[in-house]
Structures are given as C-alpha cells and as structure tokens.
C-alpha cells in the first residue's frame, strides 16, 4: 500500500505565492516519478508538473517560469513552489506518484484547495 498526503493549500491574492508539499509512504520503488495535477470546477484534471527520482522535471506550459517542483528522494517528498499566482490557478491540487514499468502503479492524494482571489 502507498499513502500520499498533500498539505499547504489555501487562499492567496493574485501575484502571491504558495508552497504545496506532498509526502508518500509505503512500498515505493526507488525509480519513481512524483508530480502535481490540478482540477478546477467544471474542468478535467490536468497535469501541472512532475519530477523523476533522477531529477528530470516537466511542466505544463501554463505554469512554466512561475512554478518549481522539487523533491527529496530519501523522504519521498515533493514540493511545488507556486509564484506569481493567477486566478486561473484556482483548483484542487493533487499529488501523484508512479512507479513500475510504464508507470504501471499510480497513486493519488486526496487533494488540497488553492484559491487565488482578491
């Protein structure tokens, strides 16, 4: 079993910053990827950012230059630093971890709300 827990959401004004944290525990392969997705009301869940255990990162175009993902392999944690936040960043943010051939095994957290509003 793998458990994934997010923290750090909240309300922030446009232009502000928030940091989300994710911790995964349980039976996790050393070679894995961790990342963040988000889902806004009435929209499908979308990719935000991910980082592999080797340190390779990827970002959605909408957050490039504003969001930074980092991780601690020893602790299986991944943080998402979000700067210059916009109202359109408002969503429930979900942490994701995947391992196995072709990311066969995938696990999700419960989500944390991020609201960007004045």
């Amino acid at each position: 079993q793998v458990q994934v827990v997010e923290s750090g959401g909240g309300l922030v004004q446009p232009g502000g910053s928030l940091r989300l944290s994710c911790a995964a525990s349980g039976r996790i392969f050393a070679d894995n990827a961790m990342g963040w997705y988000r889902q806004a009301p009435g929209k499908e869940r979308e990719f935000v950012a991910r980082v592999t255990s080797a340190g390779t990162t990827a970002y959605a175009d909408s957050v490039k230059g504003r969001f930074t993902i980092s991780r601690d392999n020893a602790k299986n944690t991944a943080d998402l630093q979000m700067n210059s936040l916009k109202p359109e960043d408002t969503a429930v943010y979900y942490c994701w971890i995947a391992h196995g051939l072709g990311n066969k095994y995938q696990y999700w957290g419960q989500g944390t709300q991020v609201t960007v509003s004045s």
Side-chain angles (χ1 to χ4, degrees):
Q1 293 287 348
V2 175
Q3 295 77 42
V4 182
V5 179
E6 307 102 333
S7 62
L11 173 64
V12 63
Q13 293 187 343
S17 298
L18 275 178
R19 188 176 185 89
L20 304 182
S21 295
C22 173
S25 60
R27 299 184 64 182
I28 303 169
F29 295 178
D31 183 12
N32 63 69
M34 295 185 73
W36 292 89
Y37 287 70
R38 66 187 181 187
Q39 187 167 18
K43 295 187 177 181
E44 293 187 353
R45 190 173 298 188
E46 64 176 6
F47 166 75
V48 176
R50 69 171 176 265
V51 57
T52 68
S53 50
T56 301
T57 58
Y59 296 92
D61 287 343
S62 59
V63 307
K64 280 181 181 177
R66 300 188 298 122
F67 291 11
T68 302
I69 190 169
S70 60
R71 67 177 290 166
D72 183 327
N73 286 341
K75 298 179 180 179
N76 280 323
T77 59
D79 290 353
L80 185 68
Q81 177 66 41
M82 304 185 295
N83 299 328
S84 302
L85 283 161
K86 306 174 181 179
E88 51 263 45
D89 294 318
T90 295
V92 177
Y93 283 70
Y94 296 90
C95 182
W96 165 89
I97 182 168
H99 60 184
L101 186 63
N103 287 333
K104 177 180 179 180
Y105 304 101
Q106 300 191 25
Y107 305 91
W108 296 87
Q110 293 297 310
T112 184
Q113 178 69 47
V114 172
T115 302
V116 184
S117 174
S118 55

